[in-house]
């Protein structure tokens, strides 16, 4: 792969949900995949999801290579859900389209991920298979979003009205389930969601637009004291609200606001933010800090800290060092 090309997954159609998954990988010039490209066959969808436990227990068959690729249950699940019945679907899925074991390729391709998601025709957020309440939760979020649009705020009375209308109950525990979905706690989802032009949230066979989904969640902040949420659920609400302004926020602010959003590779605590934050931390050539998977995480952090101090002074990064670094364990 190069800076000008990416791999695209061609997912072949099937009549039945249980039919074996079949695919091929295509190398495409990024210029061919722009969202305004007149030839619709070039358009692709990018998927935002949680990897889950790295157990590669499922298979997907390559038609061209007559070989099988091992995938996780999570990937198997959404590929079956998104697969069409009559025509192929072009997808960008990081676990398949990016060689996760090749540090050189990751160093080259990861800086492009912001553009990969922003150039996608659709970004599909996958929240898992869901349950019998999924459709009602999506309807509830749509309703409270409309209520807030109409009234300017979501009052306790409107909130209770919506609960009874959708769930015929005063119980708010059903909302905890979706707010505790591990997707909200991932670090990469920030750029995946905020950079997309047309973003759809999926859970099982149900879906809702990102606009209504986030408006509904943010409306709940007006009645957060009524929700009896866990710390995880409350964080999901607050981080969703913060996420919507992430594109205009400085990377130091994002490091602070999204400190609890996790990633499996410590280097990605920074790399996952480089794709959408303003380029205030550019070097003398005007380029953002390099994505180098051949460097250890202490090297990556030190390079970032040095550049930040050079550009903004020690005082800009000192609060982070005190709150999150080794100093946080010291005597104040």
């Amino acid at each position: 792969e190069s800076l000008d090309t990416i791999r695209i997954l061609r997912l072949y159609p099937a009549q039945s949900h249980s039919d074996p998954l079949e695919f091929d990988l295509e190398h495409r010039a990024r210029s061919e995949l722009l969202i305004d490209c007149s030839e619709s066959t070039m358009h692709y969808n990018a998927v935002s999801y949680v990897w889950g436990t790295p157990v590669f227990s499922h298979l997907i068959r390559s038609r061209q290579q007559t070989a099988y690729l091992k995938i996780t249950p999570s990937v198997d699940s959404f590929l079956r859900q998104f697969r069409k019945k009559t025509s192929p679907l072009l997808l960008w899925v990081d676990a398949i389209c990016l060689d996760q074991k090749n540090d050189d390729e990751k160093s080259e391709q990861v800086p492009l991920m912001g553009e990969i998601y922003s150039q996608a025709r659709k970004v599909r957020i996958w929240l898992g298979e869901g349950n019998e309440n999924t459709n009602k939760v999506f309807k509830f979020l749509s309703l409270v979003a409309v209520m807030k649009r109409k009234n300017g705020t979501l009052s306790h009375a409107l909130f209770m009205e919506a609960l009874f209308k959708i769930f015929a109950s005063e119980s708010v525990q059903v909302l905890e389930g979706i707010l505790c979905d591990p997707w909200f706690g991932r670090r990469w989802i920030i750029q995946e969601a905020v950079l997309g032009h047309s973003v759809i949230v999926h859970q099982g066979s149900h879906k809702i637009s990102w606009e209504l989904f986030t408006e509904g969640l943010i409306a709940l902040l007006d009645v957060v004291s009524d929700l009896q949420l866990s710390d995880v659920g409350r964080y999901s609400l607050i981080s969703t609200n913060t996420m919507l302004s992430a594109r205009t926020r400085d990377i130091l602010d994002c490091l602070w606001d999204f400190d609890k959003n996790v990633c499996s590779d410590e280097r990605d605590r920074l790399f996952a933010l480089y794709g959408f934050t303003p380029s205030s931390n550019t070097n003398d050539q005007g380029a953002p800090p390099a994505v180098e998977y051949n460097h250890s995480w202490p090297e990556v952090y030190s390079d970032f800290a040095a550049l930040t101090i050079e550009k903004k002074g020690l005082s800009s990064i000192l609060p982070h060092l005190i709150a999150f670094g080794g100093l946080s364990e010291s005597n104040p």
Side-chain angles (χ1 to χ4, degrees), residues 103-163:
D103 285 343
D104 289 334
E105 179 177 318
K106 286 169 63 179
S107 297
E108 207 169 57
Q109 292 282 303
V110 165
L112 303 177
M113 284 181 63
E115 294 183 21
I116 289 171
Y117 279 87
S118 65
Q119 291 175 354
R121 186 173 190 179
K122 290 181 181 178
V123 171
R124 297 175 182 261
I125 294 172
W126 177 248
L127 299 182
E129 291 290 355
N131 54 42
E132 67 278 2
N133 291 315
T134 296
N135 191 39
K136 289 183 178 181
V137 170
F138 284 176
K139 286 182 177 180
F140 175 78
L141 291 176
S142 298
L143 179 57
V144 296
V146 171
M147 284 177 165
K148 184 174 174 84
R149 284 181 190 175
K150 183 178 180 180
N151 297 279
T153 187
L154 182 69
S155 65
H156 173 78
L158 288 173
F159 170 68
M160 297 305 296
E161 178 186 332
L163 268 182

Coordinates of all heavy atoms in Angstrom, one line a residue, residues 103-163:
D103 N 4.1 -2.7 10.7 CA 4.2 -1.4 11.2 C 4.5 -0.4 10.2 O 4.1 0.8 10.3 CB 5.4 -1.4 12.3 CG 4.9 -2.1 13.6 OD1 3.7 -2.2 13.8 OD2 5.8 -2.4 14.4
D104 N 5.2 -0.7 9.1 CA 5.5 0.3 8.1 C 4.2 0.7 7.4 O 4.0 1.9 7.1 CB 6.5 -0.3 7.0 CG 7.9 -0.4 7.6 OD1 8.2 0.3 8.5 OD2 8.6 -1.3 7.1
E105 N 3.4 -0.3 7.1 CA 2.1 0.0 6.4 C 1.2 0.8 7.3 O 0.6 1.8 6.9 CB 1.4 -1.3 6.0 CG 0.0 -1.0 5.3 CD -0.7 -2.3 4.8 OE1 0.0 -3.1 4.2 OE2 -1.9 -2.4 5.0
K106 N 1.1 0.4 8.6 CA 0.3 1.2 9.5 C 0.8 2.6 9.6 O 0.0 3.6 9.7 CB 0.3 0.5 10.9 CG -0.5 -0.8 10.9 CD -0.3 -1.6 12.2 CE -0.7 -0.8 13.4 NZ -0.5 -1.6 14.7
S107 N 2.1 2.8 9.7 CA 2.6 4.2 9.8 C 2.2 5.0 8.5 O 2.1 6.2 8.6 CB 4.2 4.1 9.9 OG 4.5 3.5 11.1
E108 N 2.0 4.3 7.4 CA 1.7 5.0 6.2 C 0.2 5.3 6.0 O -0.3 6.3 5.6 CB 2.2 4.2 5.0 CG 2.5 5.0 3.7 CD 3.2 4.1 2.7 OE1 2.7 3.0 2.4 OE2 4.3 4.5 2.3
Q109 N -0.6 4.2 6.5 CA -2.0 4.3 6.2 C -2.8 4.9 7.4 O -3.8 5.6 7.1 CB -2.5 2.8 6.0 CG -2.1 2.2 4.7 CD -2.8 2.7 3.5 OE1 -4.0 2.5 3.5 NE2 -2.1 3.2 2.6
V110 N -2.4 4.8 8.6 CA -3.1 5.3 9.7 C -3.3 6.8 9.6 O -4.4 7.4 9.9 CB -2.5 4.9 11.1 CG1 -3.0 5.8 12.2 CG2 -2.8 3.4 11.4
P111 N -2.3 7.6 9.2 CA -2.5 9.0 9.0 C -3.6 9.4 8.0 O -4.2 10.5 8.0 CB -1.2 9.6 8.6 CG -0.2 8.6 9.1 CD -0.9 7.3 9.0
L112 N -4.0 8.4 7.1 CA -5.0 8.6 6.1 C -6.4 8.3 6.6 O -7.4 8.5 5.9 CB -4.7 7.7 4.9 CG -3.3 7.9 4.2 CD1 -3.2 7.0 3.0 CD2 -3.2 9.4 3.7
M113 N -6.5 7.7 7.8 CA -7.8 7.2 8.3 C -8.8 8.3 8.4 O -10.0 8.1 8.1 CB -7.6 6.5 9.6 CG -7.0 5.1 9.4 SD -6.9 4.1 10.9 CE -8.6 3.9 11.4
G114 N -8.4 9.5 8.8 CA -9.4 10.6 8.8 C -10.0 10.8 7.4 O -11.2 11.0 7.3
E115 N -9.1 10.8 6.4 CA -9.6 11.0 5.0 C -10.4 9.8 4.6 O -11.4 10.0 3.8 CB -8.4 11.3 4.1 CG -7.7 12.6 4.3 CD -6.6 12.8 3.3 OE1 -6.7 12.2 2.3 OE2 -5.7 13.6 3.7
I116 N -10.0 8.6 5.0 CA -10.8 7.4 4.6 C -12.2 7.5 5.1 O -13.2 7.2 4.3 CB -10.1 6.1 5.1 CG1 -8.8 5.9 4.3 CG2 -11.0 4.9 5.0 CD1 -7.9 4.8 4.9
Y117 N -12.4 7.9 6.3 CA -13.8 8.1 6.8 C -14.5 9.3 6.3 O -15.7 9.2 6.0 CB -13.7 8.1 8.4 CG -13.6 6.7 9.0 CD1 -12.4 6.1 9.2 CD2 -14.7 6.0 9.3 CE1 -12.2 4.9 9.7 CE2 -14.6 4.7 9.8 CZ -13.4 4.1 10.0 OH -13.2 2.9 10.5
S118 N -13.8 10.4 6.0 CA -14.5 11.6 5.5 C -14.8 11.4 4.0 O -15.8 12.0 3.6 CB -13.6 12.8 5.7 OG -12.4 12.7 4.9
Q119 N -14.1 10.5 3.3 CA -14.4 10.3 1.9 C -15.4 9.2 1.7 O -15.9 9.0 0.5 CB -13.1 10.0 1.1 CG -12.2 11.2 1.0 CD -10.8 10.9 0.4 OE1 -10.6 9.7 0.1 NE2 -10.0 11.9 0.1
A120 N -15.7 8.4 2.7 CA -16.7 7.3 2.6 C -18.1 7.9 2.2 O -18.5 8.9 2.8 CB -16.7 6.5 3.8
R121 N -18.8 7.2 1.4 CA -20.2 7.6 1.1 C -21.0 7.5 2.4 O -21.8 8.4 2.6 CB -20.8 6.7 0.0 CG -22.1 7.2 -0.4 CD -22.6 6.4 -1.6 NE -23.8 7.0 -2.2 CZ -24.4 6.6 -3.3 NH1 -24.0 5.5 -3.9 NH2 -25.5 7.2 -3.7
K122 N -20.8 6.5 3.2 CA -21.5 6.3 4.4 C -20.5 5.8 5.5 O -19.5 5.1 5.1 CB -22.6 5.3 4.4 CG -23.8 5.8 3.6 CD -24.9 4.7 3.6 CE -26.2 5.2 2.8 NZ -27.2 4.1 2.8
V123 N -20.7 6.2 6.7 CA -20.0 5.6 7.8 C -21.0 4.8 8.6 O -22.1 5.4 9.0 CB -19.3 6.6 8.7 CG1 -18.7 5.9 10.0 CG2 -18.1 7.3 8.0
R124 N -20.8 3.5 8.8 CA -21.8 2.7 9.5 C -21.2 2.3 10.9 O -20.1 1.7 11.0 CB -22.0 1.4 8.7 CG -22.7 1.6 7.4 CD -22.8 0.2 6.6 NE -23.4 0.3 5.3 CZ -24.6 0.1 5.0 NH1 -25.5 -0.3 6.0 NH2 -25.1 0.1 3.8
I125 N -21.9 2.8 11.9 CA -21.5 2.5 13.3 C -22.2 1.2 13.7 O -23.4 1.1 13.6 CB -21.8 3.6 14.2 CG1 -21.0 4.9 13.9 CG2 -21.6 3.2 15.7 CD1 -21.4 6.1 14.6
W126 N -21.4 0.2 14.2 CA -22.0 -1.1 14.6 C -21.9 -1.2 16.1 O -20.9 -1.2 16.7 CB -21.2 -2.2 13.9 CG -21.7 -3.6 14.3 CD1 -21.0 -4.5 15.0 CD2 -23.0 -4.2 13.9 NE1 -21.8 -5.7 15.1 CE2 -23.0 -5.5 14.5 CE3 -24.1 -3.8 13.2 CZ2 -24.0 -6.4 14.4 CZ3 -25.2 -4.7 13.1 CH2 -25.1 -5.9 13.6
L127 N -23.1 -1.3 16.7 CA -23.2 -1.5 18.1 C -23.6 -2.9 18.6 O -24.1 -3.1 19.6 CB -24.3 -0.5 18.7 CG -24.0 1.0 18.5 CD1 -25.1 1.9 19.1 CD2 -22.6 1.4 19.0
G128 N -23.3 -3.8 17.7 CA -23.6 -5.2 18.1 C -25.0 -5.7 17.6 O -25.7 -4.9 17.0
E129 N -25.4 -6.8 18.1 CA -26.6 -7.5 17.7 C -27.8 -6.9 18.3 O -28.9 -6.9 17.9 CB -26.6 -9.0 17.9 CG -25.6 -9.7 17.0 CD -26.1 -9.8 15.6 OE1 -27.2 -9.3 15.3 OE2 -25.3 -10.3 14.7
G130 N -27.6 -6.2 19.5 CA -28.7 -5.6 20.2 C -29.6 -6.7 20.9 O -29.3 -7.8 21.0
N131 N -30.9 -6.2 21.2 CA -31.8 -7.1 21.8 C -33.2 -6.7 21.5 O -33.4 -5.8 20.6 CB -31.6 -7.1 23.4 CG -31.6 -5.7 23.9 OD1 -32.5 -4.9 23.6 ND2 -30.7 -5.4 24.8
E132 N -34.2 -7.2 22.2 CA -35.6 -6.9 21.9 C -36.0 -5.4 22.1 O -37.0 -4.9 21.6 CB -36.6 -7.8 22.7 CG -36.6 -7.5 24.2 CD -35.4 -8.2 24.9 OE1 -34.6 -8.8 24.3 OE2 -35.3 -8.1 26.2
N133 N -35.1 -4.7 22.9 CA -35.4 -3.3 23.2 C -34.8 -2.3 22.2 O -35.1 -1.1 22.2 CB -35.0 -2.9 24.6 CG -35.8 -3.6 25.6 OD1 -37.0 -3.6 25.6 ND2 -35.1 -4.2 26.6
T134 N -33.9 -2.8 21.3 CA -33.2 -1.9 20.4 C -34.1 -0.9 19.6 O -33.8 0.3 19.6 CB -32.3 -2.7 19.4 OG1 -31.3 -3.4 20.2 CG2 -31.6 -1.8 18.5
N135 N -35.1 -1.5 19.0 CA -35.9 -0.6 18.2 C -36.6 0.4 19.0 O -36.7 1.6 18.6 CB -37.0 -1.5 17.4 CG -37.7 -0.7 16.4 OD1 -37.1 0.1 15.7 ND2 -39.0 -0.9 16.3
K136 N -37.1 0.1 20.2 CA -37.7 1.0 21.1 C -36.8 2.1 21.6 O -37.1 3.3 21.7 CB -38.3 0.3 22.3 CG -39.5 -0.5 22.0 CD -40.1 -1.2 23.2 CE -41.4 -2.0 22.9 NZ -42.0 -2.6 24.2
V137 N -35.5 1.7 21.8 CA -34.5 2.7 22.3 C -34.3 3.7 21.2 O -34.2 4.9 21.4 CB -33.2 2.0 22.7 CG1 -32.1 3.0 22.9 CG2 -33.4 1.2 24.0
F138 N -34.1 3.3 19.9 CA -33.9 4.2 18.8 C -35.1 5.1 18.6 O -35.0 6.3 18.3 CB -33.6 3.4 17.5 CG -32.2 2.8 17.5 CD1 -31.9 2.0 16.4 CD2 -31.3 3.1 18.4 CE1 -30.6 1.5 16.3 CE2 -30.0 2.6 18.4 CZ -29.6 1.8 17.3
K139 N -36.3 4.6 18.8 CA -37.5 5.4 18.6 C -37.6 6.4 19.8 O -38.0 7.6 19.6 CB -38.8 4.5 18.7 CG -39.0 3.7 17.4 CD -40.3 2.9 17.5 CE -40.6 2.2 16.2 NZ -41.9 1.4 16.3
F140 N -37.2 6.0 21.0 CA -37.2 6.9 22.1 C -36.2 8.1 21.9 O -36.5 9.2 22.1 CB -36.8 6.2 23.4 CG -36.7 7.0 24.6 CD1 -37.8 7.5 25.3 CD2 -35.4 7.4 25.1 CE1 -37.6 8.3 26.4 CE2 -35.3 8.2 26.2 CZ -36.4 8.6 26.9
L141 N -35.0 7.7 21.4 CA -34.0 8.8 21.2 C -34.5 9.7 20.1 O -34.3 11.0 20.2 CB -32.7 8.2 20.8 CG -31.9 7.4 21.9 CD1 -30.7 6.7 21.4 CD2 -31.6 8.3 23.1
S142 N -35.1 9.2 19.1 CA -35.7 10.1 18.0 C -36.7 11.0 18.6 O -36.8 12.2 18.2 CB -36.3 9.2 16.9 OG -35.3 8.4 16.3
L143 N -37.6 10.5 19.5 CA -38.7 11.3 20.0 C -38.1 12.4 20.9 O -38.6 13.6 20.8 CB -39.6 10.4 20.8 CG -40.8 11.1 21.5 CD1 -41.6 11.8 20.5 CD2 -41.6 10.0 22.3
V144 N -37.2 12.1 21.8 CA -36.7 13.1 22.7 C -35.9 14.2 21.9 O -35.8 15.3 22.3 CB -35.9 12.6 23.9 CG1 -36.8 11.7 24.8 CG2 -34.7 11.8 23.4
A145 N -35.2 13.7 20.8 CA -34.5 14.7 20.0 C -35.5 15.7 19.4 O -35.2 16.9 19.4 CB -33.8 14.0 18.9
V146 N -36.6 15.2 18.9 CA -37.6 16.1 18.3 C -38.3 17.0 19.4 O -38.5 18.2 19.1 CB -38.7 15.2 17.6 CG1 -39.9 16.1 17.2 CG2 -38.1 14.5 16.4
M147 N -38.5 16.4 20.5 CA -39.0 17.2 21.6 C -38.1 18.4 22.0 O -38.6 19.5 22.2 CB -39.2 16.4 22.9 CG -40.4 15.4 22.8 SD -40.5 14.4 24.3 CE -42.2 13.7 24.2
K148 N -36.8 18.1 22.1 CA -35.9 19.2 22.4 C -35.8 20.2 21.3 O -35.7 21.4 21.6 CB -34.5 18.6 22.7 CG -33.5 19.7 23.1 CD -32.2 19.1 23.5 CE -31.1 20.1 23.9 NZ -31.2 20.6 25.2
R149 N -35.8 19.8 20.0 CA -35.8 20.7 18.9 C -37.0 21.7 19.0 O -36.9 22.9 18.8 CB -35.9 20.0 17.6 CG -34.7 19.3 17.1 CD -35.0 18.7 15.8 NE -33.9 17.8 15.3 CZ -33.9 17.0 14.2 NH1 -35.0 17.1 13.5 NH2 -32.9 16.2 13.9
K150 N -38.2 21.1 19.4 CA -39.4 21.9 19.4 C -39.5 22.8 20.6 O -40.0 24.0 20.5 CB -40.6 20.9 19.4 CG -42.0 21.6 19.3 CD -43.1 20.6 19.3 CE -44.5 21.3 19.2 NZ -45.6 20.3 19.2
N151 N -39.0 22.4 21.8 CA -39.2 23.1 23.0 C -37.9 23.8 23.5 O -38.0 24.5 24.5 CB -39.7 22.1 24.1 CG -41.1 21.6 23.7 OD1 -42.1 22.2 23.9 ND2 -41.1 20.3 23.2
G152 N -36.8 23.5 22.9 CA -35.6 24.1 23.3 C -34.9 23.4 24.5 O -33.7 23.6 24.7
T153 N -35.6 22.6 25.2 CA -35.1 21.8 26.3 C -35.9 20.6 26.5 O -37.1 20.6 26.1 CB -35.0 22.7 27.6 OG1 -34.3 21.9 28.6 CG2 -36.4 23.0 28.1
L154 N -35.4 19.6 27.2 CA -36.2 18.4 27.5 C -36.5 18.5 29.0 O -35.6 18.2 29.8 CB -35.4 17.2 27.2 CG -36.1 15.8 27.4 CD1 -37.3 15.7 26.4 CD2 -35.2 14.6 27.3
S155 N -37.7 18.8 29.3 CA -38.1 18.9 30.7 C -38.4 17.5 31.3 O -38.5 16.5 30.5 CB -39.4 19.7 30.8 OG -40.5 19.1 30.2
H156 N -38.5 17.5 32.6 CA -38.8 16.2 33.2 C -40.2 15.6 32.7 O -40.3 14.4 32.5 CB -38.9 16.4 34.8 CG -39.4 15.2 35.5 ND1 -38.5 14.1 35.8 CD2 -40.6 14.8 36.0 CE1 -39.2 13.2 36.4 NE2 -40.5 13.6 36.6
A157 N -41.1 16.5 32.6 CA -42.5 16.1 32.1 C -42.4 15.5 30.7 O -43.0 14.5 30.4 CB -43.4 17.3 32.1
L158 N -41.7 16.1 29.8 CA -41.5 15.6 28.4 C -40.8 14.3 28.4 O -41.1 13.4 27.7 CB -40.8 16.6 27.6 CG -41.6 17.9 27.2 CD1 -40.6 18.9 26.5 CD2 -42.8 17.6 26.3
F159 N -39.8 14.2 29.3 CA -39.0 13.0 29.4 C -39.9 11.8 29.8 O -39.9 10.7 29.2 CB -37.8 13.2 30.4 CG -37.1 11.9 30.7 CD1 -36.3 11.2 29.8 CD2 -37.2 11.4 32.0 CE1 -35.7 10.1 30.1 CE2 -36.5 10.2 32.4 CZ -35.7 9.6 31.4
M160 N -40.7 12.0 30.8 CA -41.6 11.0 31.3 C -42.7 10.6 30.3 O -43.0 9.5 30.1 CB -42.3 11.4 32.6 CG -41.3 11.7 33.8 SD -40.2 10.2 34.1 CE -41.5 9.0 34.6
E161 N -43.1 11.7 29.6 CA -44.1 11.4 28.5 C -43.5 10.5 27.4 O -44.2 9.6 26.9 CB -44.5 12.8 27.8 CG -45.5 12.6 26.7 CD -45.7 14.0 26.0 OE1 -45.6 15.0 26.7 OE2 -46.0 14.0 24.8
A162 N -42.3 10.7 27.1 CA -41.6 9.9 26.0 C -41.4 8.5 26.6 O -41.6 7.5 25.8 CB -40.3 10.5 25.6
L163 N -41.0 8.4 27.8 CA -40.8 7.0 28.4 C -42.1 6.2 28.3 O -42.1 5.0 27.9 CB -40.4 7.1 29.9 CG -38.9 7.2 30.2 CD1 -38.7 7.2 31.7 CD2 -38.2 6.0 29.6

